[in-house]
């Protein structure tokens, strides 16, 4: 046997509203019909229309407005008391008031429906962009260590294939593979924490040590590209207070961008300077390259998602870096590098506890 579903709570409330509306209209009609022409009770139909504006749809409001006007006219022709001329004027004024109120209620309902549709579209777009952004971010973050693992793996094969095998060089390549594998594992763990809404693992750490570790992992790629690197790491820096895994990822992103920029210029210009320093209560890392530099006015745009100057770039690395740095209480910025190239820098807070690098 086919069963009928019970009406929901919303439909019950809607039914009660409609019953109240019918009752109110019936009462107003009876009073308007039973009183003299001079008493303009029908103007109170406007209250019913306003009360039902959030209950009825557009078509229902139009039908209600027309019904109220029709009942006003019907009451005028049925009523036999008072001054008919005054009643005619009252009827016209009431009809006009009902018509204007109904029009305004319909306009409001139309605007509300349009706003609801726009909100629904924005929510769909936001969800799609969130998924795209998350997928793109994970792919971008993992691309660096995975590419480095492949490069080191090939290098290890070449060292092992020599006669006699260069076991020392092969061992160094394996160390780089293990380091990059740890970085990839750290990235996956960080993405997992972010997806779970977990806060960053903030703790005091030696800023220069994290910089040196990333530089060591990037040495092979710098040598392959013929980049002359100079590191000026300030001595005696206090401990930094941030998530060291996230900060390492920012350093790696800035180094990768610098190396990609230097690959576009002639060999003599392929110079890279890494600098650390303390500015008040912040530790700063500066990466200055001699590449083609940034377009005019692009110093802020480069940190926007999906904005890039690279032909094959996707424009998420720097936006991710900014999110990481700001989440750790720091700032990131870009500036021109004289006589050519660009400088990317970021800061992290100094740990309250005393410590030296």
């Amino acid at each position: 046997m086919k069963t009928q579903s019970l009406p929901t709570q919303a439909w019950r409330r809607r039914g009660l509203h409609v019953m109240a509306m019918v009752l109110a209209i019936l009462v107003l009609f009876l009073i308007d019909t039973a009183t003299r022409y001079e008493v303009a009770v029908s103007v109170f139909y406007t209250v019913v229309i306003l009360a039902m504006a959030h209950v009825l749809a557009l078509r229902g409001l139009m039908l209600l407005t027309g019904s109220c006007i029709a009942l006003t006219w019907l009451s005028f022709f049925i009523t036999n008391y008072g001054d008919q001329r005054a009643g005619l004027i009252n009827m016209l004024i009431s009809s006009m008031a009902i018509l204007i109120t109904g029009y305004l209620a319909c306009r409001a309902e139309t605007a509300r429906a349009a706003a609801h549709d726009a909100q629904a579209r924005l929510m769909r777009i936001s969800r799609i962009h969130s998924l795209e952004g998350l997928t793109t971010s994970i792919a971008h973050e993992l691309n660096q260590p995975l590419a480095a693992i492949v490069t080191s793996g090939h290098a290890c094969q070449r060292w092992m294939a020599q006669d006699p095998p260069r076991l020392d060089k092969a061992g160094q390549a394996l160390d780089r593979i293990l380091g990059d594998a740890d970085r990839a594992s750290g990235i996956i763990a960080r993405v997992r924490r972010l997806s779970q809404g977990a806060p960053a693992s903030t703790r005091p750490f030696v800023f220069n040590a994290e910089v040196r570790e990333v530089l060591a992992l990037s040495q092979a790629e710098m040598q392959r590209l013929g980049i002359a690197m100079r590191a000026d790491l300030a001595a005696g820096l206090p401990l930094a207070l941030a998530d060291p895994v996230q900060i390492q990822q920012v350093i790696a992103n800035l180094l990768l961008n610098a190396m990609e920029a230097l690959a576009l210029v002639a060999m003599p210009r392929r110079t890279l300077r890494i600098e650390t320093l303390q500015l008040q209560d912040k530790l700063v890392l500066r990466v200055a390259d001699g590449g083609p530099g940034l377009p005019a006015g692009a110093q802020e745009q480069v940190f926007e998602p999906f904005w890039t100057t690279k032909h094959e770039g996707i424009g998420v690395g720097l936006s991710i870096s900014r999110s990481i740095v700001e989440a750790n209480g720091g700032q990131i910025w870009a500036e021109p590098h004289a006589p050519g190239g660009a400088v990317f820098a970021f800061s992290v807070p100094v740990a309250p506890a005393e410590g030296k690098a």
Side-chain angles (χ1 to χ4, degrees), residues 35-314:
T35 54
R36 299 170 64 87
Y37 282 120
E38 293 84 350
V39 182
V41 177
S42 57
V43 75
F44 289 101
Y45 285 127
T46 56
V47 178
V48 178
I49 294 174
L50 291 175
M52 297 301 293
H54 295 289
V55 179
L56 299 179
L58 181 61
R59 184 173 297 179
L61 284 173
M62 295 172 65
L63 181 61
L64 175 61
T65 302
S67 300
C68 290
I69 294 175
L71 291 173
T72 301
W73 283 62
L74 180 60
S75 293
F76 172 76
F77 289 111
I78 294 177
T79 301
N80 294 316
Y81 313 104
D83 185 355
Q84 190 174 22
R85 185 170 180 274
L88 178 62
I89 295 174
N90 284 339
M91 182 197 69
L92 293 175
I93 293 174
S94 297
S95 299
M96 187 61 67
I98 294 169
L99 183 62
I100 293 173
T101 303
Y103 171 74
L104 294 176
C106 290
R107 288 290 302 270
E109 171 60 22
T110 303
R112 190 191 65 80
H116 183 269
D117 291 343
Q119 185 180 18
R121 286 198 298 272
L122 283 175
M123 289 183 66
R124 287 196 296 272
I125 292 172
S126 176
R127 287 170 183 166
I128 292 171
H129 282 186
S130 296
L131 290 174
E132 288 179 350
L134 181 61
T135 304
T136 307
S137 299
I138 294 172
H140 180 273
E141 297 282 285
L142 288 178
N143 183 57
Q144 297 171 31
L146 293 180
I149 288 173
V150 172
T151 302
S152 299
H154 288 310
C156 183
Q157 282 183 326
R158 287 195 298 272
W159 293 123
M160 293 295 292
Q162 288 189 359
D163 188 18
R166 296 290 304 275
L167 296 180
D168 54 339
K169 294 291 185 181
Q172 293 175 6
L174 286 174
D175 289 339
R176 290 196 298 270
I177 290 174
L178 292 175
D180 287 320
D182 288 340
R183 284 177 57 204
S185 176
I187 291 169
I188 293 174
R190 177 167 61 84
V191 171
R192 185 179 298 157
R193 289 199 302 270
L194 290 174
S195 64
Q196 294 171 347
S201 301
T202 302
R203 61 177 174 82
F205 65 93
V206 180
F207 192 55
N208 282 346
E210 304 299 328
V211 176
R212 291 191 188 97
E213 185 174 338
V214 178
L215 289 177
L217 294 171
S218 306
Q219 282 292 331
E221 184 65 10
M222 290 187 193
Q223 291 175 0
R224 186 182 71 82
L225 294 173
I227 296 174
M229 192 270 291
R230 173 184 170 186
D232 294 326
L233 306 185
L237 292 178
L239 296 177
L241 183 64
D243 186 325
V245 176
Q246 294 185 359
I247 296 304
Q248 271 201 342
Q249 193 60 33
V250 174
I251 299 170
N253 278 339
L254 297 187
L255 281 178
L256 178 66
N257 284 345
M259 287 189 288
E260 289 178 347
L262 291 172
L264 301 176
V265 299
M267 198 66 75
R269 286 185 56 186
R270 295 185 181 181
T271 58
L272 184 64
R273 183 186 179 192
I274 312 298
E275 183 183 13
T276 59
L277 63 154
Q278 181 178 4
L279 292 177
Q280 298 178 348
D281 59 345
K282 302 285 186 182
L283 298 183
V284 176
L285 172 77
R286 288 167 50 89
V287 180
D289 65 71
L294 294 171
Q299 295 179 23
E300 289 296 327
Q301 282 184 301
V302 292
F303 297 105
E304 296 296 327
F306 305 109
W307 194 96
T308 180
T309 58
K310 304 172 188 173
H311 294 296
E312 298 179 355
I314 53 178

